[in-house]
Amino acid sequence: MPWKRLRRSLAAGLLLAAAFTAAPAAAATAPERTAAVSSGWNDYSCKPSAAHPRPVVLVHGTFANSVDNWLVLAPYLVDRGYCVFSLNYGELPGVPVFKGLGPVDKSAAQLGTFVDKVRSATGAGKVDLVGHSQGGMMPRYYLKFLGGADKVNALVGIAPSNHGTTLSGFTKLLPYFPGIENLLNEHTPALTDQVVGSPLMQKLNAGGDTVPGVQYTVIATQYDEVVTPWRTQFLDGPGVRNIRLQDLCAVDLSEHVLAGTTDKVVFHEVANALDPAHATPTTCFS
C-alpha cells in the first residue's frame, strides 16, 4: 500500500475508533501544568551533584507533552537529587497540547538541540534519556544518526515503539486524549513512522538496534495494548537490559499509558537504570 494512502487509512481508523470509544481521562489542566513546572524540574539553574552527575532528559510519547507525561516521574526523580528536564517535540501547526506528531527524524533533531541546551546550562558532558512510547524509540534515531551517542550515557525506554506497532495500536491511545480525534488528519507523520515496516523503522533498525557506548534499558508490560506485540519493544545488542514489568511485580496490571505515567514499580526500575551502582531490588512495594 502506498504510504500516502496508508496515512489516510490510519487517520480513518483513528476517527472510527474514536466514534466507538469512551474518553474517561483528560490532559492535565493549566494549573496542574504550572504547578508541575514549578515543582523542581526544568530548572536551568540546577547543577548536577557528584552522586548524580548527569542531567535526566524526559522524552514524552505520541499525543502527550512535556508536562502531562511526567507529572509523577519528574518529581520522583527530582526528590532523588537529579536535575530533570523535559521538552516538547513533534509539534504540528495549529495543534495545541498534543505533541509527538511530527516526523520522527525531525523530532530527533529537536531532541538533539534540547540536549545541547541542557548540557550547556548544567555543564554536564553527557545526559541520560528516559522516554515513554515514541519517546523511548525516537532518541535511538538521535543516537544512531545525529551524533547523540557522544552526548548520552544511557537511554531508558518505557513501553517504547522500538520496532513499530500495528495500525490498530494507536487507536488504543484515543481514550486517554479526548478531542485528539478532531485534530487528526493525514498530516500526522509520527503515526505512520511508527507502523511496523515503515521506511523509518527499516532505517532505524538496519544494521543493529544499538550504538556503542550507550547503555540501554527497556521496560515493557505484557499488557501493552498500543505497542504490539509487546515483546517487539525489546532491543538486541551489547549494553542492553530488557525487563518485563511483570517479572518485577507479577500482579502489576499497568498497560501502555499507566506504565509510563503513574507506575511506581516502573519508576523504581528507572532509578536503578540511571544509577546501577546503587540499584536496589524492585518489587511490588518499591
Side-chain angles (χ1 to χ4, degrees):
M1 177 185 295
W3 283 99
K4 186 173 182 180
R5 191 188 312 165
L6 180 57
R7 280 193 287 268
R8 287 197 296 268
S9 298
L10 176 57
L14 289 166
L15 291 167
L16 181 62
F20 293 95
T21 307
T29 65
E32 286 175 322
R33 292 192 187 94
T34 301
V37 174
S38 64
S39 68
W41 91 87
N42 282 337
D43 176 5
Y44 285 89
S45 67
C46 185
K47 299 300 179 184
S49 65
H52 301 302
R54 292 177 300 276
V56 178
V57 174
L58 303 177
V59 190
H60 64 75
T62 308
F63 302 151
N65 60 60
S66 64
V67 174
D68 295 335
N69 211 141
W70 308 120
L71 288 170
V72 183
L73 180 57
Y76 178 96
L77 294 175
V78 168
D79 287 347
R80 282 153 182 76
Y82 289 92
C83 292
V84 180
F85 301 87
S86 61
L87 77 156
N88 283 319
Y89 70 88
E91 299 174 83
L92 294 180
V95 181
V97 182
F98 304 107
K99 316 298 181 183
L101 298 176
V104 168
D105 57 347
K106 300 296 190 298
S107 294
Q110 293 171 15
L111 172 62
T113 299
F114 189 79
V115 166
D116 288 343
K117 178 181 178 180
V118 169
R119 291 172 61 239
S120 177
T122 61
K126 291 188 176 184
V127 304
D128 290 326
L129 304 176
V130 178
H132 178 213
S133 193
Q134 180 188 169
M137 172 276 294
M138 176 270 282
R140 293 178 50 227
Y141 194 100
Y142 166 59
L143 298 175
K144 196 168 187 178
F145 301 114
L146 302 179
D150 293 332
K151 303 173 183 178
V152 174
N153 170 71
L155 169 61
V156 183
I158 305 170
S161 52
N162 279 324
H163 297 95
T165 184
T166 59
L167 284 173
S168 61
F170 291 111
T171 68
K172 304 300 195 305
L173 281 172
L174 288 171
Y176 296 92
F177 303 98
I180 188 66
E181 65 271 18
N182 296 322
L183 301 173
L184 290 175
N185 54 38
E186 66 178 4
H187 304 295
T188 51
L191 300 182
T192 47
D193 277 349
Q194 292 178 84
V195 172
V196 173
S198 73
L200 183 284
M201 281 295 156
Q202 293 181 51
K203 178 179 180 180
L204 178 62
N205 293 305
D209 291 345
T210 64
V211 297
V214 178
Q215 300 300 308
Y216 296 82
T217 301
V218 175
I219 305 171
T221 171
Q222 70 183 41
Y223 300 113
D224 199 309
E225 78 287 32
V226 175
V227 181
T228 55
W230 67 268
R231 289 185 183 276
T232 63
Q233 299 171 28
F234 288 164
L235 297 173
D236 291 320
V240 172
R241 184 167 180 242
N242 292 314
I243 302 165
R244 184 181 69 134
L245 177 57
Q246 285 69 37
D247 289 334
L248 303 175
C249 177
V251 296
D252 194 318
L253 302 179
S254 288
E255 40 60 73
H256 183 83
V257 173
L258 294 181
T261 56
T262 64
D263 194 303
K264 292 294 185 67
V265 178
V266 171
F267 296 167
H268 186 269
E269 197 58 29
V270 168
N272 281 345
L274 295 174
D275 188 8
H278 299 97
T280 58
T282 300
T283 70
C284 296
F285 306 102
S286 295

